[in-house]
Amino acid sequence: MDPYVVTIDGPSGSGKGSLALLLARLLGFSILDSGAIYRLAALKALNENVDLQDEQHVLGAIRTLDIHFETGDELTIPFLDGKDVSQQVRDEKTAAAASIVAAYPSVRTQLLAIQRDFFSPPGLVADGRDMGTTVFPDAKIKIFLNASSQIRAKRRYKQLIDMGLSANIVDLQNEIEIRDERDRSRAVSPLVPASDAVIIDCSLMELSQVVDLVMSHITDINNQRF
Ligand code: C5P
């Protein structure tokens, strides 16, 4: 079978990352966490103290972006300028900065090639906001994963606490809703399902049920004869 891409788009905390990880393992594919690329770019801009409201300054800071990922026991470890930044990259300040810089068209263009380079045989599972619409518009399988903001805030809270970080669930829900609104309303690559995406609301589903559903969809598509 030809190598192919599975895209998983959706709002923050919908479970895209966990789904992508499990699918990549089951399929033997590599994985792209595109949110991490935006977070690393935002962290670089924060480290350089540039004015996040100024697109040209942000672009200047990320023109030469030295990032790479290393595979740890369970998690992928992000590096910026040669340093492990797993902690900084996950915090809400970086997330908020990521959603500001991600609204700039020139920043999105700058990060496009980095994301596409993740594709290699036998295939890629790519998660983000515009994987199916902009980065991999020809992907064979496209999923849009949604869940209520309340459920997503609860999941994010648990993730942060499990990572040993502090969190407040009400603040998290507010931040998630602000970030969703910014992601949905931006002019370039807004958070919308691709026209050919399968939309799954997983508010009341276990992760294993979502994985089964998507795997059976992949099997159906792979078995289709044209
Ligand atoms: O997925 P994650 O929460 O890590 O993404 C952080 C931010 O990066 C999102 O709120 C969004 O603004 C931006 N992003 C994006 N396009 C992507 C992935 C992330 O705009 N493909």
Side-chain angles (χ1 to χ4, degrees):
M1 191 182 300
D2 288 341
Y4 62 92
V5 178
V6 178
T7 62
I8 305 170
D9 288 307
S12 49
S14 58
K16 302 182 302 287
S18 312
L19 175 62
L21 198 63
L22 290 174
L23 289 179
R25 276 194 200 141
L26 287 168
L27 296 165
F29 283 13
S30 36
I31 192 161
L32 163 63
D33 169 6
S34 61
I37 310 275
Y38 281 93
R39 285 169 185 259
L40 287 167
L43 195 56
K44 174 78 180 178
L46 288 171
N47 288 349
E48 303 261 307
N49 275 321
V50 302
D51 176 4
L52 292 185
Q53 304 306 326
D54 185 325
E55 178 171 356
Q56 288 314 313
H57 279 170
V58 173
L59 184 63
I62 66 159
R63 260 200 205 289
T64 50
L65 197 56
D66 174 9
I67 63 174
H68 74 275
F69 295 89
E70 290 179 13
T71 312
D73 293 343
E74 275 294 304
L75 297 167
T76 303
I77 304 163
F79 284 77
L80 173 66
D81 293 325
K83 282 195 212 102
D84 173 349
V85 288
S86 338
Q87 292 281 330
Q88 298 96 303
V89 103
R90 294 314 326 163
D91 76 34
E92 288 305 308
K93 186 177 170 216
T94 311
S99 98
I100 295 171
V101 306
Y104 297 137
S106 60
V107 169
R108 301 200 74 84
T109 306
Q110 178 75 17
L111 299 180
L112 210 47
I114 298 180
Q115 297 173 78
R116 289 186 175 145
D117 275 353
F118 276 74
F119 179 63
S120 66
L124 176 72
V125 179
D127 97 64
R129 306 294 190 290
D130 61 340
M131 297 296 100
T133 50
T134 305
V135 182
F136 299 106
D138 299 326
K140 189 173 182 184
I141 314 281
K142 297 183 185 179
I143 306 294
F144 191 88
L145 197 60
N146 215 343
S148 72
S149 60
Q150 197 181 10
I151 297 272
R152 290 185 284 126
K154 267 194 196 158
R155 289 180 187 161
R156 188 68 101 196
Y157 177 80
K158 186 171 178 308
Q159 254 177 16
L160 293 171
I161 297 297
D162 287 350
M163 287 167 71
L165 300 170
S166 64
N168 172 304
I169 198 153
V170 177
D171 290 350
L172 277 177
Q173 188 172 344
N174 283 336
E175 283 157 9
I176 279 177
E177 286 171 2
I178 292 168
R179 205 137 58 86
D180 283 356
E181 181 48 32
R182 207 183 282 134
D183 290 346
R184 288 201 171 100
S185 60
R186 69 178 169 230
V188 186
S189 293
L191 171 65
V192 285
S195 57
D196 49 350
V198 173
I199 300 176
I200 300 174
D201 187 320
C202 66
S203 302
L204 301 175
M205 291 171 81
E206 295 294 332
L207 178 60
S208 60
Q209 295 174 297
V210 184
V211 172
D212 289 349
L213 189 65
V214 175
M215 282 306 287
S216 77
H217 173 62
I218 293 176
T219 307
D220 286 349
I221 297 280
N222 283 338
N223 288 338
Q224 263 173 20
R225 292 177 200 284
F226 295 98

